[in-house]
Amino acid sequence: MTMTRRAALGALAASPLLAAPALRAQSPVELSFNYPIAVGGPIARIIDGYCADFQRENPGIRVRPVYTGSYQDSITKALTAARGGDAPDMACLLSTDMFTLIDEEVVVPWDELPGTDAAWTGSFYPGFMENSRSGGKVWGIPFQRSTIVMYYNKDAFREAGLDPEQAPRNWNEQVEFAQRLTKRQGDSVTQWGMQIPSSGFPYWLFQALTTQNDVRLMNEAGNETYFADPKVAEALQYWLDLSTKHRVHPAGIVEWGTTPRDFFERKVAMMWTTTGNLTNVKNNAPFPFGVAMLPAGRRPGSPTGGGNLYVFKAANAAKREAAVKFARFLTAPERAAQWGIDTGYVAVSPAAFETEKMRRYVAGFPAAAVARDQLPHAVAELSTHENQRVTKALNDGLQAVLTGRQQPVPAMQAAQSEAERILRRYR
């Protein structure tokens, strides 16, 4: 071979036109993953670890977690980015954001993604899938999911002459227990019998009461609400009576964020909050505590809650395939079990509870199974088209009643009128 021939071949080999495809083939797929927590903290460390573990198993894919603050901040940031042409590839957002994401036409159904099958999407608890399916398609994969449960101070129960192994089973018992648990010194209360937060997610806590009063707040299509149903006002009256009639609950607005601390500081003996607080309570309660299903009214029940995994339309074919692999990795039974153990959120599939590690954990800490056992009584969290506007109408009505500015019936009628105005065009 002549020098000229060798030089020509060397030049061709060095040509960027020939080298580029090889370089592209070796470049990892980068998957941006928005997650609804602030930077830092235990859950961020867990998610960082999952991303690193996944990359070790899938060296051709790199997951880049982006921590986006609260759920409210996260949906706002995701939609703003999508409208600006810079959507994340994948995100964990509230299950109740499903209709908003569909209406904005920014996400794709999981059924249409490579690597998804009915066996996988059918493996999750049916209660969690109620907020994950619409129009016969799966739009969200359950991951950071929860229900509301009751936590109670066993020492306070003993002091009040109550059985520390038996939480109140119904609304009447809840009032009776709370009356015995409330401690007063003159006009001041040193320990409230119970506390239901009414800031942050008032509609969610209220939906537990409406579920227990055997009434649904919305239809499956997300285009009708039933706030004016008399049973809704009855449930709200019960909540109001806890403070105004029975005097076992703080008056006015009870803060979501400080309720666990109030519990730790013995300012309240029973609290309603997310099962996602289970590990927090386990690690920080300075007394023995119990966890129980919420007391029944006409029936037992709680709404589900928490976040689903969504894939955005902007993700290309390679990223969509990578997103399915990552979602299947996150929800694999062993990992879902460990996630439930580490965080207190509900492991999202029956298979996760059948793993050896979860069996051992539940045997030693039965409270970990309470939210799971409540799932057969659970309903889908309030979710509609233009969900943020509809839930704001309900939240405004709830807070007006709890602060003494309105009565339950007219407040719920006003909330229904506003929801009707918003949802009419979706019917």
Side-chain angles (χ1 to χ4, degrees):
M1 184 181 291
T2 65
M3 286 295 296
T4 303
R5 176 69 171 159
R6 279 198 294 268
L9 289 173
L12 283 171
S15 168
L17 293 175
L18 293 182
L23 287 174
R24 280 198 295 271
Q26 294 169 5
S27 298
V29 174
E30 182 169 293
L31 191 72
S32 61
F33 178 42
N34 282 17
Y35 205 84
I37 48 174
V39 176
I43 289 186
R45 288 194 292 273
I46 293 170
I47 296 298
D48 285 343
Y50 287 167
C51 293
D53 291 345
F54 177 74
Q55 189 168 332
R56 277 191 288 272
E57 290 185 18
N58 300 270
I61 304 171
R62 176 173 174 252
V63 181
R64 179 170 56 87
V66 180
Y67 298 115
T68 48
S70 69
Y71 276 123
Q72 180 62 51
D73 291 340
S74 298
I75 184 64
T76 300
K77 289 175 181 177
L79 291 177
T80 300
R83 291 165 187 153
D86 190 29
D89 301 315
M90 184 177 177
C92 180
L93 300 167
L94 280 174
S95 62
T96 55
D97 289 328
M98 177 178 67
F99 288 113
T100 298
L101 293 165
I102 294 170
D103 292 342
E104 291 280 342
E105 299 183 345
V106 295
V107 293
V108 291
W110 286 88
D111 320 69
E112 298 176 5
L113 300 176
T116 300
D117 56 60
W120 177 49
T121 58
S123 69
F124 302 103
Y125 281 109
F128 291 144
M129 294 307 293
E130 282 195 34
N131 275 123
S132 305
R133 286 193 176 102
S134 180
K137 296 180 179 180
V138 176
W139 297 90
I141 294 296
F143 179 58
Q144 185 168 283
R145 299 302 302 271
S146 59
T147 68
I148 304 164
V149 294
M150 171 180 278
Y151 299 82
Y152 63 95
N153 180 335
K154 290 188 175 183
D155 283 349
F157 270 47
R158 289 188 185 93
E159 291 170 13
L162 296 166
D163 181 353
E165 303 307 321
Q166 181 60 63
R169 292 162 294 190
N170 55 56
W171 282 7
N172 289 336
E173 282 191 358
Q174 183 168 242
V175 171
E176 292 168 10
F177 283 32
Q179 287 172 331
R180 295 174 67 170
L181 291 162
T182 299
K183 293 182 178 180
R184 282 188 167 80
Q185 292 181 347
D187 293 333
S188 66
V189 175
T190 57
Q191 177 180 278
W192 290 105
M194 66 173 298
Q195 199 159 292
I196 301 175
S198 48
S199 77
F201 311 94
Y203 76 88
W204 191 48
L205 280 297
F206 178 58
Q207 194 180 355
L209 290 165
T210 57
T211 301
Q212 292 154 20
N213 209 34
D214 201 22
V215 60
R216 292 252 180 173
L217 291 182
M218 78 291 181
N219 67 345
E220 187 176 339
N223 57 15
E224 290 182 4
T225 58
Y226 311 118
F227 303 157
D229 188 299
K231 289 183 181 178
V232 174
E234 284 178 12
L236 182 51
Q237 186 67 57
Y238 177 84
W239 194 0
L240 179 64
D241 284 349
L242 293 173
S243 60
T244 59
K245 178 180 178 181
H246 305 298
R247 301 174 66 219
V248 297
H249 186 288
I253 303 303
V254 172
E255 292 298 323
W256 167 269
T258 60
T259 291
R261 189 176 68 213
D262 292 343
F263 184 65
F264 301 151
E265 295 175 355
R266 297 180 172 85
K267 294 177 181 177
V268 60
M270 300 185 292
M271 68 169 177
W272 287 21
T273 189
T274 172
T275 186
N277 264 320
L278 180 59
T279 301
N280 176 31
V281 175
K282 182 172 183 281
N283 292 339
N284 293 294
F287 45 75
F289 68 93
V291 181
M293 288 192 280
L294 297 180
R298 287 184 166 94
R299 52 155 287 189
S302 166
T304 59
N308 278 347
L309 303 174
Y310 299 93
V311 176
F312 281 70
K313 280 187 177 180
N316 63 28
K319 291 184 175 187
R320 292 182 182 193
E321 184 176 354
V324 173
K325 287 182 179 179
F326 187 49
R328 297 188 79 133
F329 173 89
L330 291 176
T331 59
E334 288 286 335
R335 195 161 292 103
Q338 192 63 53
W339 168 256
I341 293 167
D342 291 341
T343 65
Y345 286 102
V346 186
V348 290
S349 67
F353 277 91
E354 292 302 317
T355 61
E356 183 59 31
K357 68 174 65 172
M358 184 58 90
R359 284 176 178 270
R360 288 198 306 269
Y361 186 64
V362 169
F365 185 47
V370 171
R372 176 204 65 187
D373 294 343
Q374 189 170 243
L375 282 176
H377 309 294
V379 300
E381 183 178 357
L382 174 61
S383 179
T384 67
H385 296 277
E386 300 203 42
N387 195 57
Q388 293 184 43
R389 295 175 65 198
V390 171
T391 54
K392 182 180 185 303
L394 179 56
N395 285 341
D396 289 350
L398 296 174
Q399 294 189 334
V401 170
L402 295 173
T403 54
R405 291 181 285 118
Q406 276 190 287
Q407 290 299 307
V409 170
M412 292 300 93
Q413 289 174 341
Q416 178 62 25
S417 294
E418 176 64 6
E420 279 289 313
R421 186 183 67 79
I422 294 167
L423 294 175
R424 191 174 295 119
R425 70 190 188 95
Y426 294 98
R427 294 200 285 271

